[in-house]
Amino acid sequence: MKGVKISGIGSSKAGYVLTNEELSTIVDTSDEWITTRTGIKNRYISNGQTTTELASKAAALALKNANIEASALDMIIVATITPDLFMPSTACMVQSALGAIKSTAFDISAACSGFIYGSKIAINSIRCGDVKKVLVIGAEVLSKTINWQDRNTCVLFGDGAGAVIYEATDNNKILNMYTQSDGKNGCSLTLNSTPLKNCLIEEKLVTPYMQMDGREVYKFATNIVPICIEKVLQNTEVKLSDIKHFILHQANERILDAVAKKMKIDKSLFFKNLDKYGNTSAASIPIALYEAKANFNTGDKIVLVGFGGGLTWGSLLLEW
Ligand code: UT7
């Protein structure tokens, strides 16, 4: 089986910084409520950037950092729940923007776990010898799916993109992976698409916005993240105490704190940038990785954890 390593990371931000103070002029909320309940202070939202543009910018930076040409990429996977179009896929439009002429390009939908799911596909594709260089992007313009009158959701989300390049190597750095889903309980976090309407069926009205039962999702998250961490360490020689960095999906600071407490892990090991970005769904882990990597040393063991709509969850164990 081939080894796999990360060879480049990039990220990109949407153009407008929306502060808690400005949000308080749009809906009945306050900086105090948002900060104490979530830890979020600001979020970047699109003032014109598309998902494809954010994804392409993050990808171009990852390619530069990996020192490889776009034309060398074998595969491009974009994880997103906010594609610009149903067709072509965001990945195909990124392929065109980058000039990645020999890539196979496709999108996947796994909400906030999308980057972990996409990474698993990329890593397994390299391991089986089918491809050598794969670009995985998490990119979202969630602001177009938000009901800006709904204070339960509009304070939480942001736009952005992060990108990672996985490459075949003799010196394997991906130590384990774990993913799972629970479609039965998917109704706690939903985003409707085009309703069924054809010559047989009259259009039914659907709410076109992101809807979330926050308390249910909070319970799910604080329960599933420790499981993700335990599962990804199982059948490896790596112990919990060996992990130098935990990069969790950036949904809520209280979730990070609750997991740290439950697992008796020093909370300073949990990277946090949700105060600047809010929850950017599939983009949150690669954006966090891009920012956290300044603190990584060679040999550091790192755990990535995603969880969210579907319901979906998963984790990756890496060595830097
Ligand atoms: O990426 C997918 C994963 N998503 C998540 O992980 C999100 C998980 N859930 C959460 O992070 C939290 O549940 C929230 C941050 C969404 C909400 O925090 P909470 O402590 O669970 O608040 P709550 O929903 O129980 O609401 C408490 C109160 C309610 O008022 P009453 O009924 O007690 O009078 C809400 O109406 O806070 C009210 N509220 C607000 N007040 C001011 C809800 N949103 C706001 C707001 N500003 N923005």
Side-chain angles (χ1 to χ4, degrees):
M1 199 161 63
K2 304 256 186 313
V4 184
K5 66 171 182 182
I6 288 178
S7 61
I9 313 178
S11 86
S12 73
K13 296 172 179 148
Y16 187 79
V17 178
L18 181 62
T19 63
N20 289 351
E21 285 76 16
E22 188 171 354
L23 263 173
S24 314
T25 67
I26 300 171
V27 282
D28 181 15
T29 189
S30 63
D31 175 48
E32 202 265 334
W33 192 96
I34 303 170
T35 306
T36 53
R37 298 284 178 139
T38 72
I40 300 166
K41 297 296 271 181
N42 300 318
R43 70 286 293 142
Y44 293 89
I45 68 163
S46 172
N47 52 1
Q49 302 80 30
T50 63
T51 302
T52 304
E53 285 164 1
L54 292 171
S56 302
K57 206 167 161 196
L61 186 56
L63 284 166
K64 186 168 169 241
N65 291 335
N67 198 22
I68 65 169
E69 298 292 329
S71 56
L73 289 172
D74 299 302
M75 188 182 272
I76 300 174
I77 302 171
V78 175
T80 185
I81 51 167
T82 51
D84 298 321
L85 308 171
F86 286 136
M87 184 172 65
S89 66
T90 310
C92 281
M93 294 194 286
V94 169
Q95 173 189 27
S96 170
L98 297 175
I101 44 168
K102 74 163 181 174
S103 286
T104 299
F106 58 94
D107 289 1
I108 61 160
S109 171
C112 309
S113 312
F115 176 76
I116 300 289
Y117 278 43
S119 296
K120 189 173 176 183
I121 297 167
I123 291 160
N124 280 336
S125 300
I126 295 172
R127 280 186 176 163
C128 76
D130 187 34
V131 293
K132 288 201 170 64
K133 293 179 172 51
V134 183
L135 169 62
V136 180
I137 305 169
E140 304 286 8
V141 178
L142 294 167
S143 60
K144 68 183 177 187
T145 73
I146 298 300
N147 174 0
W148 290 95
Q149 308 304 314
D150 176 13
R151 68 178 183 173
N152 291 297
T153 51
C154 76
V155 303
L156 302 174
F157 298 98
D159 303 333
V164 168
I165 292 166
Y166 292 99
E167 274 195 66
T169 175
D170 292 334
N171 189 9
N172 181 50
K173 299 290 185 186
I174 310 295
L175 307 184
N176 208 7
M177 305 187 278
Y178 160 68
T179 55
Q180 208 174 316
S181 315
D182 172 18
K184 185 167 51 59
N185 287 307
C187 55
S188 56
L189 184 49
T190 58
L191 174 54
N192 281 320
S193 177
T194 316
L196 179 58
K197 171 190 163 239
N198 60 25
C199 57
L200 306 175
I201 294 167
E202 271 182 42
E203 184 168 9
K204 213 168 85 186
L205 282 180
V206 296
T207 311
Y209 303 116
M210 176 99 72
Q211 290 181 291
M212 180 169 74
D213 180 338
R215 285 184 200 184
E216 275 309 307
V217 178
Y218 184 89
K219 273 193 264 170
F220 154 69
T222 49
N223 176 47
I224 210 70
V225 174
I227 293 171
C228 286
I229 295 172
E230 283 159 9
K231 287 271 186 187
V232 86
L233 295 175
Q234 265 171 24
N235 305 320
T236 74
E237 286 168 9
V238 182
K239 298 187 295 296
L240 186 62
S241 56
D242 296 330
I243 306 301
K244 293 280 188 288
H245 311 274
F246 293 87
I247 316 273
L248 271 51
H249 167 49
Q250 303 284 302
N252 186 328
E253 186 173 13
R254 280 162 51 213
I255 294 175
L256 307 186
D257 291 350
V259 172
K261 193 168 169 207
K262 199 167 175 179
M263 299 193 76
K264 299 189 174 53
I265 302 170
D266 178 354
K267 82 179 187 188
S268 70
L269 300 182
F270 285 71
F271 180 79
K272 189 187 77 177
N273 65 1
L274 57 86
D275 50 328
K276 292 188 291 180
Y277 290 91
N279 178 343
T280 57
S281 190
S284 96
I285 295 174
I287 293 174
L289 252 186
Y290 178 73
E291 297 197 344
K293 73 178 166 34
N295 300 318
F296 297 168
N297 293 309
T298 306
D300 280 359
K301 305 288 190 297
I302 302 163
V303 168
L304 313 182
V305 183
F307 55 88
L311 298 170
T312 57
W313 58 90
S315 45
L316 234 66
L317 173 64
L318 321 172
E319 182 180 295
W320 197 246

